[in-house]
């Protein structure tokens, strides 16, 4: 049986399963890793208590775990992200050049017909008005639709999933009592989990909305404006960075006092304080319980281009002993490990056929975080960027270092 002491843990992440899209994730640092694709713009932090993995100079822990709400947590995956509208880029690319200088008051109006513009005034009086081209205005007399206001454009809550999956079957390596352990996981960690661990490509996913411990919702200017789960906040958020080091700062052009004053004024102009409770302002357990109900999930949409901030953590997966520690049940992972990495995946279920999930469903990955075990004798004496996270997987260099700011 492989021994945990013979391996280093290595964490990489990217916008897809493809290893070449991944970069090495610094652990327990104040520097998030920026991950971007045509589908998502995200910043990622990973924290692990008593960490002993790669990069070797990673801090062993962080003040994040000193917060009372996280005193029992063993790891955290924190993501600040925007889902990108898949139609917006195509629309901008395909727009005709003449539209870029058009008067806004004439939006959606047909351009003058070339044949009409070449006729004389007398001919124009005898000639009936030309109908609007159907490709530009199918029904010019119909008032603009308000559907976008009633139904935000984005991904419905039941279709944005978070969980684990594998490329190869694990059914022959499942230990005795695994079904009992899975029931405990669903009871203690995520009651919304659904999946098939006996499939050729095993998976366990749940709706992101009811899976994460902390959820904060911002507006389209990156400002966190709604959400009752504020335990993720640190000094960074009081400095206007929303809990993750900002990629939209002023590059030091203003001192902290002036910057904070300006941001406070902007927030007062832009943000209307909540005057009544919503499911998002409920304490975490109540919010999760509320959104475990399928009909309640249908009322929420993960909107395109809006800022979201989530944190997932628990005390059940020990990355140092490589063991699953559940109430009354401990599972030594190394005894049954088949060499596959553990993946946390954020994905969009779109509805076509797929190898993962139920028949008639397809899962489009948006963000993949991989926890892989690397033999120490393959690493020692090498630069971390030369280390491979399993066959064919590259470890591209990641972000900087530094301790976590203290929690308020």
């Amino acid at each position: 049986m492989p021994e945990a002491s013979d391996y280093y843990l290595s964490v990489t992440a990217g916008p897809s399963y493809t290893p070449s899209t991944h970069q090495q994730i610094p652990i327990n640092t104040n520097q998030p890793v920026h991950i971007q694709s045509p589908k998502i713009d995200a910043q990622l932090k990973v924290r692990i208590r008593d960490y002993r993995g790669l990069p070797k100079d990673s801090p062993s822990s962080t003040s994040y775990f000193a917060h009372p709400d996280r005193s029992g947590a063993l790891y955290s995956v924190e993501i600040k992200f925007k889902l990108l509208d898949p139609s917006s880029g195509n629309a901008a690319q395909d727009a005709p050049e003449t539209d870029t200088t058009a008067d806004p008051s004439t939006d959606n109006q047909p351009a003058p017909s070339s044949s009409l513009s070449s006729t004389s005034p007398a001919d124009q009086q005898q000639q009936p008005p030309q109908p609007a081209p159907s490709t530009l205005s199918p029904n010019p007399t119909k008032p603009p639709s308000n559907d976008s206001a009633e139904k935000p454009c984005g991904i419905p809550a039941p279709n944005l999933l978070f969980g684990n999956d594998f490329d190869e079957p694990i059914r022959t390596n499942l230990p005795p009592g695994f079904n009992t352990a899975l029931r405990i996981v669903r009871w203690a960690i995520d009651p919304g989990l659904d999946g098939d661990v006996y499939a050729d490509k095993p998976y366990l996913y749940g709706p992101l909305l009811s899976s994460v411990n902390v959820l904060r919702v911002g507006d389209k200017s990156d400002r966190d404006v709604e959400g009752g789960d504020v335990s993720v906040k640190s000094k960074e958020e009081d400095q206007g960075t929303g809990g993750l080091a900002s990629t939209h700062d002023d590059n030091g052009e203003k001192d902290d006092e002036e910057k904070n004053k300006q941001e406070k004024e902007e927030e007062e102009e832009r943000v209307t304080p909540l005057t009544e409770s919503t499911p998002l302002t409920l304490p975490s357990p109540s919010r999760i319980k509320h959104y475990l109900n399928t009909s309640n999930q249908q009322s929420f949409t993960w909107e395109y281009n809006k800022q979201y901030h989530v944190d997932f953590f628990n005390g059940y997966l020990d990355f140092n002993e490589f063991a699953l520690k559940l109430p009354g049940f401990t599972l030594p992972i190394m005894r049954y490990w088949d060499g596959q990495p553990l993946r946390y995946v954020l994905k969009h279920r779109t509805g076509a056929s797929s190898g993962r999930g139920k028949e008639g469903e397809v899962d489009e990955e948006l963000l993949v975080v991989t926890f892989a075990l690397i033999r120490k004798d393959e690493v020692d004496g090498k630069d971390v960027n030369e280390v491979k996270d399993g066959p064919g997987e590259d470890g591209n260099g990641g972000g900087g270092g530094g301790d976590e700011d203290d929690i308020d």
Side-chain angles (χ1 to χ4, degrees):
M1 181 183 77
E3 297 291 337
S5 59
D6 294 334
Y7 292 84
Y8 288 122
L9 179 65
S10 176
V11 183
T12 65
S16 74
Y17 291 115
T18 305
S20 60
T21 68
H22 283 218
Q23 54 186 305
Q24 187 80 35
I25 304 301
I27 307 300
N28 295 335
T29 74
N30 203 31
Q31 179 66 37
V33 171
H34 186 207
I35 296 172
Q36 189 171 26
S37 76
K39 306 170 190 174
I40 193 170
D41 187 353
Q43 297 178 72
L44 171 70
K45 280 186 178 181
V46 176
R47 306 175 180 93
I48 299 175
R49 188 189 292 268
D50 301 324
Y51 186 64
R52 303 191 294 266
L54 301 176
K56 293 181 183 180
D57 59 353
S58 299
S60 62
S61 196
T62 163
S63 59
Y64 169 93
F65 294 112
H67 192 281
D69 290 348
R70 300 183 289 270
S71 59
L74 295 177
Y75 71 103
S76 158
V77 177
E78 182 181 354
I79 312 168
K80 193 169 186 178
F81 68 95
K82 285 182 179 181
L83 299 172
L84 303 182
D85 188 346
S87 65
S88 61
N90 295 336
Q93 182 177 0
D94 297 339
E97 293 183 2
T98 52
D99 289 350
T100 60
T101 57
D103 185 344
S105 64
T106 62
D107 285 350
N108 297 325
Q109 296 300 317
S113 167
S114 59
S115 60
L116 182 61
S117 62
S118 62
T119 57
S120 66
D123 292 336
Q124 292 183 19
Q125 293 177 1
Q126 298 176 2
Q127 193 169 355
Q130 296 295 319
S134 59
T135 56
L136 292 177
S137 181
N139 188 357
T141 61
K142 184 179 179 180
S145 171
N146 292 324
D147 288 347
S148 59
E150 298 173 2
K151 298 179 181 179
C153 186
I155 299 177
N159 293 353
L160 189 64
L161 308 179
F162 184 72
N164 310 109
D165 60 28
F166 299 88
D167 285 329
E168 302 294 335
I170 60 173
R171 51 182 174 259
T172 59
N173 296 300
L174 296 177
F178 179 81
N179 288 332
T180 299
L182 184 57
R183 284 195 294 270
I184 296 174
V185 168
R186 284 175 169 154
W187 167 71
I189 302 178
D190 189 352
L193 276 179
D194 185 31
D196 184 358
V197 297
Y198 297 95
D200 290 338
K201 292 187 175 182
Y203 65 97
L204 281 173
Y205 308 136
L208 180 68
L209 188 59
S210 59
S211 295
V212 293
N213 305 75
V214 174
L215 167 65
R216 306 190 74 219
V217 181
D219 59 17
K220 295 187 178 181
S221 62
D222 298 353
R223 177 75 57 175
D224 290 326
V225 297
E226 187 172 26
D229 303 309
V230 296
S231 60
V232 75
K233 290 184 67 177
S234 69
K235 285 183 179 178
E236 295 169 270
E237 287 187 307
D238 289 336
Q239 295 169 355
T241 60
L244 291 173
S246 176
T247 57
H248 307 285
D249 59 23
D250 59 6
N251 296 318
E253 294 177 1
K254 302 181 180 70
D255 59 30
D256 289 342
E257 182 177 355
E258 183 181 352
K259 181 179 177 182
N260 291 340
K261 179 179 179 181
Q262 179 181 351
E263 289 177 344
K264 183 176 180 181
E265 292 173 352
E266 291 174 352
E267 182 175 9
E268 290 174 350
E269 294 177 358
R270 178 166 55 237
V271 178
T272 302
L274 296 178
T275 57
E276 58 181 353
S277 62
T278 72
L280 292 177
T281 63
L282 294 171
S284 181
S286 299
R287 170 184 53 82
I288 291 172
K289 182 178 179 180
H290 177 83
Y291 285 116
L292 285 172
N293 183 292
T294 304
S295 61
N296 291 338
Q297 291 177 28
Q298 298 288 350
S299 67
F300 186 91
T301 298
W302 297 93
E303 297 181 45
Y304 292 130
N305 301 316
K306 177 173 279 193
Q307 187 78 53
Y308 296 97
H309 190 173
V310 300
D311 191 20
F312 175 82
F313 57 85
N314 63 56
Y316 304 114
L317 189 55
D318 189 329
F319 282 106
N320 291 303
E321 296 183 14
F322 304 112
L324 183 62
K325 297 182 175 180
L326 302 173
F329 190 98
T330 298
L331 177 63
I333 296 174
M334 297 301 294
R335 183 178 300 174
Y336 306 98
W337 180 52
D338 64 354
Q340 294 191 75
L342 174 69
R343 291 192 300 225
Y344 278 97
V345 184
L346 178 66
K347 56 175 50 188
H348 176 201
R349 178 156 290 171
T350 60
S353 60
S354 172
R356 284 191 181 88
K358 301 174 183 177
E359 184 177 355
E361 297 175 339
V362 65
D363 299 328
E364 180 182 58
E365 73 270 20
L366 303 175
L367 179 65
V368 180
V369 185
T370 299
F371 295 76
L373 295 180
I374 313 296
R375 284 192 60 87
K376 289 184 176 180
D377 56 13
E378 296 177 2
V379 175
D380 291 337
K382 296 182 179 180
D383 184 89
V384 68
N385 293 333
E386 300 176 19
V387 177
K388 293 183 180 294
D389 297 358
E393 295 200 4
D394 298 324
N396 299 324
D403 293 335
E404 186 83 17
D405 281 350
D406 292 338
I407 302 295
D408 289 338

